[in-house]
Amino acid sequence: MSVQRRTRVLAAGVVVASGLSGCGGSVSTHPAAAGTSPPASVSASADLLPIPQPDLGTLNRVTRQRLAPDSARIDLLLPLFSNSTGVTNPLFPIAALDAVILGEVAGEPLKIETTLLPDTKVLTWHGRRIEALQSQFCAYLKGRITELAVDLYAEADDGSVWYLGEDVVDYLHGLAESTDGTWRVGLDGPPAMIMPGHPEVGDVYRTENIPGVAFEQVTVKRVGVTVDGPTGPVTGAMVGQELHQDENALEAKVFAPGYGEFFSGGRHDFEANALAVPADALPGPVPVELRSIVGHARTVFHLVRADRWKAAIAGLEDITAAWHTYRTRGVPDRLATRTRHALSDLTTAVDARQRRAAAQSALDVMDATFDVELQYRPPSAINKARLALWTRQLAFDAHARRAGAVHGDVTTIGWIRDRLDLDPSAGRNIDDEIRYLRAVAEAREFHAAATHAERLRTQVKAAALAR
């Protein structure tokens, strides 16, 4: 599956609305050839490996009818990978991409963090060794982890980017529920092209090619499109139409230079790239207003828990004033909307003297502000700040004895830690605390979970991982 869209998280896709004119249209209704190898018309050179094609019998009849014939496909031969981790494809810039994606699932708020991990992985397919980049996809539904995937990508010498597998975990109430969708090239099936080197209208390729596990076909519909990006117009975008293995609907997807997958879905089931770096990075230090918002939100979090409402109201006023000043600089629309909602929830909860709701909203304000700060701070610094924030969330949920939330918090902390390339000594200390937190969460020892959440945050500060 592509770096952002997850049909296990999202409901059935629909074609993107008319705001992206020309995204519609139908794909070929010719069934794909049933053979297990490329057609005879495709000849492989010594540098290209023919890719055996899987049995399509597990696909439903409608999906099979909508598959393009092999004669239209551009992904039947695997090229060489001389510099596989030096990805330069502008429409899938995974080698440098860290992003915040916002959306909805059935009207509920969805947030996705994609992060390039520090380590690579070497895979073997038909005797060919390919070094792959690892990109972490972490999805939160209504603020809680719902899916984690580590995707493997490599760029071929012709500029195409290939998908070599993913490790997937779906979560329910903080606990791992399923690993459906997990696959690995050479073990479960063939590699899949995630983005052509030079896409042209009419090109067809399968972004996943293991029927029954993960299967998607993309048809290129438009190229050279200009879209509205988070910080201004983005030229050179591509509009594709995607077919999934279990859905009769065809979904339009937009890929944009510097962003990769830019938009998919529609109505109340969609994902939109709200911010990506380095594309949306801004020069200079973090503005004082953003630092003020985080600092005052942290203070309000403690004040409302102590029923110090007068001081909390003063802190809320400082947050509101700082936000009003900062937003005049211009904030990416989707990030601005999320921050406004968090601030509105905090205001409502403080006015109503709702202790727990106000404390949670203060944490949400901090989280939303860190996303905005991604424009100014290195992704590693933002992930370090997120790590510290989730220790506060963990202690808060442990004090409330919310078992599912505690499990989810510890899981989230562990995945964020994987994003960080830490000093060995600091890394060992933090890893030890996370292992202990997993044990006490499993044992439902809430007091110990809260205590060690604070200890973990101390370890973070001692390692100078967060401000």
Side-chain angles (χ1 to χ4, degrees), residues 282-301:
L282 294 174
V286 177
V288 65
E289 296 90 354
L290 294 180
R291 291 189 176 275
S292 177
I293 291 171
V294 171
H296 286 300
R298 186 185 299 121
T299 299
V300 169
F301 171 75

Side-chain angles (χ1 to χ4, degrees), residues 190-458:
M193 181 185 287
I194 199 76
M195 179 57 63
H198 305 282
E200 297 180 359
V201 174
D203 285 348
V204 179
Y205 56 98
R206 294 177 184 173
T207 55
E208 289 182 307
N209 199 14
I210 306 177
V213 177
F215 185 92
E216 294 172 351
Q217 173 187 276
V218 170
T219 301
V220 178
K221 291 297 183 178
R222 297 181 66 198
V223 296
V225 178
T226 298
V227 296
D228 291 330
T231 54
V234 181
T235 60
M238 183 197 94
V239 177
Q241 190 175 59
E242 188 170 65
L243 174 67
H244 299 277
Q245 66 177 348
D246 296 323
E247 301 172 13
N248 293 332
L250 298 171
E251 178 180 283
K253 306 186 81 164
V254 181
F255 296 82
Y259 296 87
E261 191 171 322
F262 186 75
F263 187 92
S264 62
R267 297 184 182 178
H268 294 300
D269 296 303
F270 72 90
E271 296 173 10
N273 201 315
L275 181 77
V277 293
D280 296 314
L282 294 174
V286 177
V288 65
E289 296 90 354
L290 294 180
R291 291 189 176 275
S292 177
I293 291 171
V294 171
H296 286 300
R298 186 185 299 121
T299 299
V300 169
F301 171 75
H302 294 294
L303 290 172
V304 298
R305 297 177 72 196
D307 286 329
R308 296 178 58 189
W309 294 103
K310 184 176 180 180
I313 290 172
L316 174 60
E317 291 173 349
D318 289 333
I319 294 171
T320 302
W323 171 247
H324 286 327
T325 299
Y326 176 75
R327 71 179 184 180
T328 62
R329 296 171 179 256
V331 185
D333 287 344
R334 295 188 185 278
L335 295 188
T337 298
R338 181 167 183 260
T339 305
R340 285 199 305 270
H341 285 169
L343 185 53
S344 175
D345 290 344
L346 178 58
T347 301
T348 299
V350 169
D351 288 346
R353 304 297 193 270
Q354 297 172 333
R355 182 191 305 166
R356 178 167 180 80
Q360 183 60 62
S361 295
L363 295 177
D364 294 342
V365 167
M366 293 173 65
D367 183 56
T369 306
F370 288 147
D371 291 344
V372 178
E373 286 188 3
L374 187 59
Q375 290 186 284
Y376 302 95
R377 304 174 70 191
S380 59
I382 293 299
N383 284 313
K384 292 165 186 175
R386 287 170 174 161
L387 178 60
L389 176 63
W390 277 98
T391 64
R392 294 184 188 278
Q393 183 72 66
L394 172 58
F396 180 54
D397 289 329
H399 283 303
R401 305 180 66 82
R402 301 178 64 207
V406 167
H407 275 292
D409 297 340
V410 175
T411 296
T412 303
I413 286 169
W415 288 122
I416 293 176
R417 184 270 177 266
D418 282 356
R419 304 173 190 176
L420 303 175
D421 189 8
L422 301 175
D423 170 83
S425 177
R428 282 192 297 271
N429 291 336
I430 289 173
D431 292 342
D432 286 345
E433 287 293 344
I434 293 174
R435 278 192 290 270
Y436 185 81
L437 283 168
R438 290 194 180 105
V440 297
E442 184 67 28
R444 300 169 68 95
E445 296 177 0
F446 298 114
H447 178 73
T451 299
H452 281 266
E454 302 292 346
R455 285 189 57 176
L456 176 57
R457 188 160 62 255
T458 299

Side-chain angles (χ1 to χ4, degrees), residues 42-256:
V42 178
S43 59
S45 72
D47 293 336
L48 303 177
L49 288 177
I51 301 177
Q53 298 302 298
D55 180 10
L56 304 177
T58 58
L59 300 179
N60 65 44
R61 179 182 60 83
V62 174
T63 298
R64 291 199 304 271
Q65 289 177 336
R66 285 176 166 168
L67 290 174
D70 282 346
S71 59
R73 290 176 57 192
I74 61 171
D75 60 344
L76 296 174
L77 298 173
L78 189 71
L80 288 176
F81 293 83
S82 301
N83 184 25
S84 55
T85 60
V87 178
T88 59
N89 190 312
L91 290 170
F92 208 82
I94 200 66
L97 184 66
D98 290 273
V100 176
I101 298 99
L102 300 178
E104 292 183 10
V105 176
E108 299 291 353
L110 174 72
K111 176 190 173 185
I112 297 165
E113 297 163 1
T114 66
T115 308
L116 182 68
L117 297 181
D119 297 326
T120 61
K121 185 179 288 291
V122 176
L123 304 105
T124 302
W125 188 77
H126 281 217
R128 181 169 291 181
R129 287 167 53 86
I130 306 172
E131 185 179 9
L133 294 168
Q134 299 189 91
S135 178
Q136 188 194 89
F137 169 107
C138 191
Y140 307 87
L141 190 60
K142 295 190 287 186
R144 299 293 178 171
I145 191 168
T146 185
E147 182 183 358
L148 189 289
V150 176
D151 300 305
L152 303 173
Y153 301 109
E155 183 173 274
D157 292 359
D158 65 357
S160 58
V161 182
W162 291 76
Y163 198 11
L164 305 179
E166 63 173 329
D167 293 313
V168 181
V169 185
D170 294 323
Y171 293 94
L172 181 65
H173 305 307
L175 296 174
E177 180 186 35
S178 169
T179 59
D180 291 348
T182 295
W183 67 278
R184 186 66 55 83
V185 66
L187 295 177
D188 305 293
M193 181 185 287
I194 199 76
M195 179 57 63
H198 305 282
E200 297 180 359
V201 174
D203 285 348
V204 179
Y205 56 98
R206 294 177 184 173
T207 55
E208 289 182 307
N209 199 14
I210 306 177
V213 177
F215 185 92
E216 294 172 351
Q217 173 187 276
V218 170
T219 301
V220 178
K221 291 297 183 178
R222 297 181 66 198
V223 296
V225 178
T226 298
V227 296
D228 291 330
T231 54
V234 181
T235 60
M238 183 197 94
V239 177
Q241 190 175 59
E242 188 170 65
L243 174 67
H244 299 277
Q245 66 177 348
D246 296 323
E247 301 172 13
N248 293 332
L250 298 171
E251 178 180 283
K253 306 186 81 164
V254 181
F255 296 82

